[in-house]
Amino acid sequence: PYANYSGQTGLPQITSTINIRNGTLFHDMSGGGFLFRTFSIAASGALNLQNMELWGASAPTPGGAFHNSGTVNITNSTIHGYDTSNRAGVLYNGSGASATITNSVLYDNNAVYAHVVDNAGGTVTIVNSTFDKHVSAGGFGAILEGSGYIVCNSIFWNPGSGPIQIDPGNTVSDSVVRGGYSGGSNILNTSPLF
């Protein structure tokens, strides 16, 4: 039912350039089933997602949707309903890896630690995207955990008194961030009224 690429993974590991467009990937857990992440990207791999909806995977390993050691580009897409009993509800970005999220919406993704993205030595660029309604079962970590982020023209508005939105020391500009962001440029701490 799954393979083991740095943890349980539903699809074959991506080792070259793969483009996926205009569709939905849904991991139906309504009748039980196996726990696994959706994608594992090797150092030689590049995954380009465009106009996609990713929905509902549950994984016991880092990265509910993506374990990235190569390149991931997400454009005009929606990612929601991911859950991991580990870290990084959506994306675990490993050392030397690169991820870009553009014009996308991520909401209702959960993890024990590092709620949505855990950048562990790579680079993550986020432009014109919205992050909302994420939960940490363990109450630890940030929406964007670690350093190496470049964030521009985006919204981070996790409700309640929960976690910080973005770890300190990253480049954040022209964005709405609940609680503000020290060291950022043109940061608004005003509800987007979703």
Side-chain angles (χ1 to χ4, degrees):
Y2 59 81
N4 193 334
Y5 307 110
S6 300
Q8 296 157 286
T9 306
L11 297 173
Q13 188 174 48
I14 293 170
T15 58
S16 61
T17 299
I18 299 291
N19 302 310
I20 304 175
R21 299 185 183 100
N22 306 320
T24 298
L25 290 174
F26 172 48
H27 182 177
D28 185 0
M29 293 293 293
S30 60
F34 296 96
L35 303 179
F36 53 80
R37 79 166 64 88
T38 307
F39 295 104
S40 174
I41 301 92
S44 61
L47 174 62
N48 301 306
L49 296 179
Q50 186 174 9
N51 301 322
M52 293 292 297
E53 180 182 21
L54 274 62
W55 178 20
S58 184
T61 51
F66 309 93
H67 187 284
N68 183 34
S69 298
T71 302
V72 172
N73 296 305
I74 301 164
T75 307
N76 298 332
S77 295
T78 300
I79 301 173
H80 62 99
Y82 277 82
D83 177 64
T84 176
S85 57
N86 203 289
R87 56 191 304 129
V90 172
L91 168 66
Y92 179 86
N93 201 54
S95 179
S98 172
T100 302
I101 301 170
T102 307
N103 297 331
S104 295
V105 176
L106 290 82
Y107 69 94
D108 287 338
N109 298 293
N110 308 308
V112 171
Y113 186 75
H115 304 45
V116 182
V117 181
D118 186 4
N119 189 34
T123 59
V124 178
T125 302
I126 298 169
V127 180
N128 298 333
S129 295
T130 298
F131 288 64
D132 184 39
K133 297 180 182 174
H134 305 288
V135 175
S136 170
F140 304 106
I143 302 306
L144 300 184
E145 184 80 15
S147 60
Y149 293 94
I150 299 171
V151 176
C152 182
N153 294 328
S154 294
I155 298 172
F156 290 82
W157 202 264
N158 219 51
S161 61
I164 62 172
Q165 309 296 307
I166 306 169
D167 262 355
N170 289 291
T171 302
V172 182
S173 64
D174 304 306
S175 295
V176 176
V177 181
R178 185 177 183 276
Y181 190 77
S182 179
S185 172
N186 296 323
I187 304 300
L188 292 178
N189 180 17
T190 303
S191 173
L193 301 176
F194 292 137

Coordinates of all heavy atoms in Angstrom, one line a residue, residues 131-181:
F131 N -2.0 31.3 4.6 CA -1.9 30.2 5.6 C -2.8 30.5 6.7 O -2.7 31.5 7.3 CB -0.4 30.1 6.1 CG 0.6 29.6 5.2 CD1 0.9 30.2 4.0 CD2 1.3 28.4 5.4 CE1 1.9 29.8 3.1 CE2 2.2 27.9 4.6 CZ 2.5 28.6 3.4
D132 N -3.8 29.5 6.9 CA -4.8 29.8 7.9 C -5.3 28.5 8.6 O -5.3 27.5 8.0 CB -6.0 30.5 7.2 CG -7.1 30.9 8.1 OD1 -6.8 31.4 9.2 OD2 -8.3 30.8 7.8
K133 N -5.7 28.6 9.8 CA -6.4 27.6 10.6 C -5.6 26.3 10.7 O -6.1 25.2 10.5 CB -7.8 27.3 9.9 CG -8.7 28.5 9.9 CD -10.1 28.1 9.3 CE -11.0 29.3 9.3 NZ -12.2 29.0 8.5
H134 N -4.4 26.4 11.1 CA -3.6 25.3 11.4 C -3.5 25.0 12.9 O -3.5 25.9 13.7 CB -2.1 25.5 10.8 CG -2.2 25.8 9.3 ND1 -2.5 24.9 8.4 CD2 -1.9 27.0 8.7 CE1 -2.4 25.5 7.2 NE2 -2.1 26.8 7.4
V135 N -3.3 23.7 13.2 CA -3.3 23.3 14.6 C -2.1 22.4 14.9 O -1.7 21.6 14.1 CB -4.6 22.5 14.9 CG1 -4.6 21.9 16.3 CG2 -5.8 23.3 14.7
S136 N -1.5 22.6 16.1 CA -0.5 21.8 16.6 C -1.0 20.9 17.7 O -1.4 21.5 18.8 CB 0.7 22.6 17.1 OG 1.6 21.7 17.7
A137 N -1.1 19.6 17.5 CA -1.6 18.7 18.6 C -0.7 18.8 19.8 O -1.2 18.7 20.9 CB -1.6 17.3 18.1
G138 N 0.6 19.0 19.6 CA 1.5 19.1 20.8 C 1.7 20.5 21.3 O 2.3 20.7 22.3
G139 N 1.2 21.5 20.5 CA 1.3 22.9 20.9 C 2.7 23.5 20.8 O 3.1 24.5 21.4
F140 N 3.5 22.9 19.9 CA 4.9 23.3 19.7 C 5.1 23.8 18.3 O 4.5 23.5 17.4 CB 5.9 22.1 19.9 CG 5.7 21.4 21.3 CD1 5.1 20.2 21.3 CD2 6.2 22.0 22.4 CE1 5.0 19.5 22.6 CE2 6.0 21.4 23.6 CZ 5.4 20.2 23.7
G141 N 6.2 24.7 18.2 CA 6.6 25.1 16.9 C 5.8 26.2 16.3 O 4.9 26.7 16.9
A142 N 6.2 26.6 15.1 CA 5.6 27.7 14.4 C 4.9 27.2 13.1 O 5.1 26.1 12.7 CB 6.7 28.8 14.0
I143 N 4.1 28.1 12.5 CA 3.5 27.8 11.2 C 4.6 27.5 10.2 O 4.6 26.5 9.5 CB 2.6 28.9 10.8 CG1 1.5 29.1 11.8 CG2 2.0 28.5 9.4 CD1 0.7 27.9 12.2
L144 N 5.6 28.4 10.2 CA 6.8 28.2 9.4 C 8.0 28.0 10.4 O 8.4 29.0 11.1 CB 7.1 29.4 8.5 CG 6.1 29.8 7.4 CD1 6.6 30.9 6.6 CD2 5.7 28.6 6.6
E145 N 8.5 26.8 10.5 CA 9.5 26.5 11.5 C 10.9 26.5 10.8 O 11.1 26.0 9.7 CB 9.2 25.1 12.0 CG 10.2 24.6 13.1 CD 9.8 25.2 14.5 OE1 8.7 25.7 14.6 OE2 10.7 25.1 15.4
G146 N 11.9 27.1 11.5 CA 13.2 27.2 11.0 C 13.6 28.5 10.3 O 12.8 29.4 10.3
S147 N 14.8 28.5 9.7 CA 15.2 29.7 9.0 C 15.3 29.3 7.5 O 15.0 28.2 7.1 CB 16.6 30.1 9.5 OG 17.5 29.0 9.3
G148 N 15.7 30.3 6.7 CA 15.8 30.1 5.2 C 14.5 30.4 4.4 O 14.4 30.0 3.3
Y149 N 13.6 31.2 5.1 CA 12.3 31.5 4.4 C 12.5 32.9 3.8 O 13.0 33.9 4.4 CB 11.2 31.6 5.3 CG 10.8 30.2 5.9 CD1 11.3 29.8 7.1 CD2 9.9 29.4 5.2 CE1 10.9 28.5 7.6 CE2 9.5 28.1 5.7 CZ 10.1 27.7 6.9 OH 9.7 26.5 7.4
I150 N 11.9 33.1 2.6 CA 11.6 34.4 2.0 C 10.1 34.5 1.8 O 9.5 33.7 1.0 CB 12.4 34.6 0.7 CG1 13.9 34.5 0.9 CG2 12.0 35.9 0.0 CD1 14.7 34.5 -0.4
V151 N 9.4 35.4 2.4 CA 8.0 35.5 2.4 C 7.6 36.9 1.9 O 8.1 37.9 2.4 CB 7.4 35.3 3.8 CG1 5.9 35.5 3.8 CG2 7.7 33.9 4.3
C152 N 6.7 37.0 0.9 CA 6.3 38.3 0.4 C 4.8 38.2 0.0 O 4.4 37.2 -0.6 CB 7.2 38.6 -0.9 SG 6.8 40.2 -1.6
N153 N 4.1 39.3 0.3 CA 2.7 39.5 -0.1 C 1.9 38.3 0.3 O 1.1 37.8 -0.5 CB 2.6 39.7 -1.7 CG 3.2 41.0 -2.1 OD1 3.2 42.0 -1.4 ND2 3.8 41.0 -3.3
S154 N 2.0 37.9 1.5 CA 1.3 36.7 2.0 C 0.5 36.9 3.3 O 0.8 38.0 3.9 CB 2.2 35.5 2.1 OG 2.7 35.1 0.8
I155 N -0.4 36.0 3.6 CA -1.2 36.2 4.9 C -0.9 35.0 5.7 O -1.0 33.8 5.3 CB -2.7 36.3 4.5 CG1 -3.0 37.5 3.7 CG2 -3.5 36.3 5.8 CD1 -4.4 37.6 3.2
F156 N -0.6 35.2 7.0 CA -0.4 34.2 8.0 C -1.3 34.6 9.2 O -1.0 35.4 10.0 CB 1.0 34.1 8.5 CG 1.9 33.5 7.4 CD1 2.4 34.3 6.4 CD2 2.3 32.2 7.4 CE1 3.2 33.8 5.4 CE2 3.1 31.7 6.5 CZ 3.6 32.5 5.5
W157 N -2.5 33.9 9.3 CA -3.5 34.3 10.3 C -4.0 33.1 11.0 O -5.2 32.7 10.7 CB -4.6 35.1 9.7 CG -5.2 36.0 10.7 CD1 -6.4 35.7 11.4 CD2 -4.8 37.2 11.2 NE1 -6.7 36.6 12.3 CE2 -5.7 37.6 12.2 CE3 -3.7 38.0 10.9 CZ2 -5.6 38.8 12.9 CZ3 -3.6 39.2 11.6 CH2 -4.5 39.6 12.6
N158 N -3.2 32.4 11.8 CA -3.7 31.3 12.6 C -4.6 31.8 13.7 O -4.2 32.7 14.4 CB -2.5 30.5 13.1 CG -2.8 29.0 13.1 OD1 -3.2 28.5 12.0 ND2 -2.6 28.3 14.2
P159 N -5.8 31.2 13.9 CA -6.7 31.8 14.9 C -6.2 31.4 16.3 O -5.4 30.6 16.6 CB -8.0 31.1 14.6 CG -7.6 29.8 14.0 CD -6.3 30.1 13.2
G160 N -6.9 32.1 17.3 CA -6.7 31.7 18.7 C -5.4 32.2 19.2 O -4.7 33.1 18.6
S161 N -5.0 31.7 20.4 CA -3.8 32.2 21.1 C -2.6 31.3 20.7 O -1.6 31.4 21.3 CB -4.0 32.2 22.6 OG -4.3 30.9 23.0
G162 N -2.8 30.4 19.7 CA -1.8 29.4 19.4 C -0.4 29.9 19.0 O 0.0 30.9 19.4
P163 N 0.2 29.1 18.1 CA 1.6 29.3 17.9 C 2.0 30.6 17.2 O 1.2 31.2 16.6 CB 1.9 28.1 17.0 CG 0.7 27.9 16.2 CD -0.4 28.2 17.2
I164 N 3.3 30.9 17.3 CA 3.8 32.0 16.5 C 3.6 31.6 15.0 O 3.5 30.4 14.7 CB 5.2 32.3 16.8 CG1 6.2 31.2 16.5 CG2 5.4 32.8 18.2 CD1 7.6 31.5 16.6
Q165 N 3.5 32.6 14.2 CA 3.3 32.4 12.8 C 4.5 32.0 12.0 O 4.5 31.0 11.3 CB 2.7 33.6 12.1 CG 1.5 34.2 12.9 CD 0.3 33.2 13.0 OE1 -0.2 32.8 12.0 NE2 -0.2 33.0 14.2
I166 N 5.6 32.7 12.2 CA 6.9 32.5 11.5 C 8.0 32.6 12.4 O 8.1 33.6 13.2 CB 7.0 33.5 10.4 CG1 5.8 33.5 9.4 CG2 8.3 33.3 9.5 CD1 5.7 34.7 8.5
D167 N 8.9 31.7 12.4 CA 10.1 31.7 13.3 C 10.9 33.0 13.0 O 11.0 33.5 11.9 CB 11.0 30.5 13.1 CG 10.8 29.4 14.1 OD1 10.0 29.6 15.1 OD2 11.4 28.3 14.0
P168 N 11.6 33.5 14.1 CA 12.4 34.7 13.9 C 13.6 34.5 12.9 O 14.0 33.4 12.7 CB 12.9 35.0 15.3 CG 12.0 34.2 16.2 CD 11.6 33.1 15.5
G169 N 14.1 35.6 12.4 CA 15.3 35.6 11.6 C 15.1 35.3 10.1 O 16.0 35.0 9.4
N170 N 13.8 35.4 9.6 CA 13.6 35.1 8.2 C 13.3 36.5 7.5 O 13.0 37.5 8.1 CB 12.4 34.2 8.1 CG 12.8 32.7 8.5 OD1 13.5 32.1 7.8 ND2 12.3 32.3 9.6
T171 N 13.2 36.4 6.2 CA 12.9 37.6 5.4 C 11.5 37.6 5.1 O 11.0 36.8 4.3 CB 13.8 37.6 4.1 OG1 15.2 37.5 4.4 CG2 13.5 38.8 3.3
V172 N 10.8 38.6 5.7 CA 9.3 38.7 5.5 C 9.0 40.1 5.2 O 9.3 41.1 5.9 CB 8.6 38.3 6.8 CG1 7.1 38.3 6.6 CG2 9.0 36.9 7.3
S173 N 8.2 40.3 4.1 CA 7.9 41.7 3.7 C 6.5 41.7 3.1 O 5.9 40.7 2.6 CB 8.9 42.2 2.6 OG 8.8 41.4 1.4
D174 N 5.9 42.9 3.2 CA 4.6 43.2 2.6 C 3.5 42.1 2.8 O 2.9 41.7 1.9 CB 4.8 43.4 1.0 CG 5.8 44.5 0.7 OD1 5.7 45.6 1.3 OD2 6.8 44.2 0.0
S175 N 3.4 41.7 4.1 CA 2.5 40.6 4.4 C 1.7 40.9 5.6 O 2.0 41.8 6.4 CB 3.4 39.4 4.7 OG 4.0 38.9 3.5
V176 N 0.6 40.2 5.8 CA -0.3 40.2 7.0 C 0.1 39.1 7.9 O 0.0 37.9 7.5 CB -1.8 40.2 6.6 CG1 -2.6 40.1 7.9 CG2 -2.1 41.3 5.7
V177 N 0.6 39.4 9.1 CA 1.0 38.3 10.0 C 0.4 38.5 11.4 O 0.6 39.6 12.0 CB 2.6 38.3 10.2 CG1 3.0 37.2 11.1 CG2 3.2 38.2 8.8
R178 N -0.4 37.6 11.8 CA -1.1 37.7 13.1 C 0.0 37.8 14.2 O 0.9 37.0 14.3 CB -2.0 36.5 13.4 CG -2.8 36.7 14.7 CD -3.7 35.5 14.8 NE -4.5 35.6 16.0 CZ -4.1 35.2 17.3 NH1 -2.9 34.7 17.4 NH2 -4.9 35.4 18.3
G179 N -0.1 38.9 15.0 CA 0.9 39.1 16.0 C 2.1 39.9 15.5 O 3.0 40.2 16.3
G180 N 2.2 40.2 14.2 CA 3.3 41.0 13.7 C 4.5 40.1 13.4 O 4.5 38.9 13.7
Y181 N 5.5 40.8 12.9 CA 6.8 40.0 12.7 C 8.0 41.0 12.9 O 8.2 41.9 12.0 CB 6.8 39.4 11.3 CG 8.0 38.5 11.2 CD1 8.0 37.2 11.7 CD2 9.2 38.9 10.5 CE1 9.1 36.3 11.6 CE2 10.2 38.0 10.4 CZ 10.2 36.7 11.0 OH 11.3 35.9 10.9

